[in-house]
Amino acid sequence: DASPTPLGTNTIEAMHSGLFWGIVGGVRELISRIASTPDPAVFLTGGAAPQVAPLLSADAQHAEHLTLTGILTARHLQAAQSS
């Protein structure tokens, strides 16, 4: 799906647009408040991640399997520590 226009032409479109752009703005604000560097690494997961990532910054990345990769990495670390 494409990003919604900033202003909807009917109630449903306006609600969708407001929710979408409100979330994008909220995530941008959170990134700016917690970033310790000017261009922090930003990774997104979930269904809307591919659509939202480019709206946050040029470097924001969709990490499709981040949770599964993290679990696998933790398992490998655990196995290395116990051997």
Side-chain angles (χ1 to χ4, degrees), residues 14-40:
M15 290 173 63
H16 183 246
S17 179
L19 288 168
F20 181 86
W21 290 109
I23 290 169
V24 169
V27 172
R28 285 179 183 160
E29 182 65 20
L30 285 171
I31 292 168
S32 72
R33 287 179 180 255
I34 64 174
S36 58
T37 61
D39 294 314

Side-chain angles (χ1 to χ4, degrees), residues 3-77:
S3 302
T5 59
L7 299 174
T9 57
N10 60 53
T11 302
I12 298 297
E13 285 181 12
M15 290 173 63
H16 183 246
S17 179
L19 288 168
F20 181 86
W21 290 109
I23 290 169
V24 169
V27 172
R28 285 179 183 160
E29 182 65 20
L30 285 171
I31 292 168
S32 72
R33 287 179 180 255
I34 64 174
S36 58
T37 61
D39 294 314
V42 177
F43 301 94
L44 287 88
T45 63
Q51 182 183 9
V52 174
L55 301 173
L56 299 177
S57 73
D59 297 325
Q61 299 176 38
H62 171 219
E64 185 174 0
H65 300 292
L66 183 62
T67 301
L68 296 175
T69 302
I71 291 169
L72 182 62
T73 301
R75 177 64 184 119
H76 286 297
L77 290 173

